[in-house]
Amino acid sequence: MKSHRNFFSKEKEAQPMNKNMLPINRDNDGKIHLHMYTTIFSDVRDNLLASNAMYANLLNDVKSCIEPYSTKENIVLEVYETSKVDEFVQDSVVIGFRKYINSCLYGINKQHISRFILFFSFFLAGIFLEGILYGLLDGKLTMWVFKSIEVLASLFIWQFGGYVAFEFLGERKLIKRYKQMSKIDFNIKYWD
């Protein structure tokens, strides 16, 4: 019988909690099979062209499908279409989507590196100011000027610390997610 007095008591018949509560369907190669529905393949067949907006919509659909899973997993997307498409259209959409993902990945990597360099330069400027204050100018400035420069130096150092603590790991995970999406295998099926 469950004890309602203590929420943290361990129950004897309770099932152990898994990290991921989703059922995982793996094949013999260890790849996870996920299912989704999209119309991009039939749209490309009808229009003979795929726009960046179409790839962005496909990216949003794919991202929402694979979000619960680790970035280390190999994924096969089983895409269901309501109309049959030939192999040329399938290959052109998959290749175009991979090029779109790689261009997004390039932009994210470039932004990540530039932000890291910016905040690291703040860190170095803060350390430099602290070194000058306490090494060269100790006691030579008025207290007000000394404390003002010290606050500015501390702000620079904490800007880097805040970036590393709150944004750096999120950006790294986003880069890993885009790398994972660029390696997804597509299996297009007809859904009647």
Side-chain angles (χ1 to χ4, degrees), residues 80-140:
Y80 290 96
E81 276 279 342
T82 54
S83 59
K84 290 187 179 183
V85 292
D86 59 347
E87 193 171 319
F88 175 73
V89 171
Q90 291 176 7
D91 291 341
S92 65
V93 169
V94 170
I95 290 170
F97 179 69
R98 287 200 173 120
K99 285 185 178 183
Y100 180 78
I101 290 290
N102 287 331
S103 66
C104 291
L105 183 62
Y106 175 75
I108 291 170
N109 269 330
K110 192 173 178 183
Q111 179 185 359
H112 176 66
I113 290 170
S114 65
R115 285 174 52 103
F116 183 78
I117 289 171
L118 173 72
F119 286 110
F120 189 70
S121 66
F122 282 169
F123 176 73
L124 291 178
I127 295 292
F128 179 72
L129 284 174
E130 290 279 342
I132 287 177
L133 281 178
Y134 288 106
L136 299 176
L137 301 176
D138 192 22
K140 296 180 181 172

Side-chain angles (χ1 to χ4, degrees), residues 144-170:
W144 183 82
V145 174
F146 183 82
K147 287 294 183 184
S148 297
I149 295 173
E150 184 182 28
V151 166
L152 182 65
S154 297
L155 176 70
F156 283 164
I157 293 170
W158 281 105
Q159 280 288 332
F160 178 71
Y163 170 72
V164 169
F166 299 112
E167 296 178 26
F168 182 79
L169 295 177

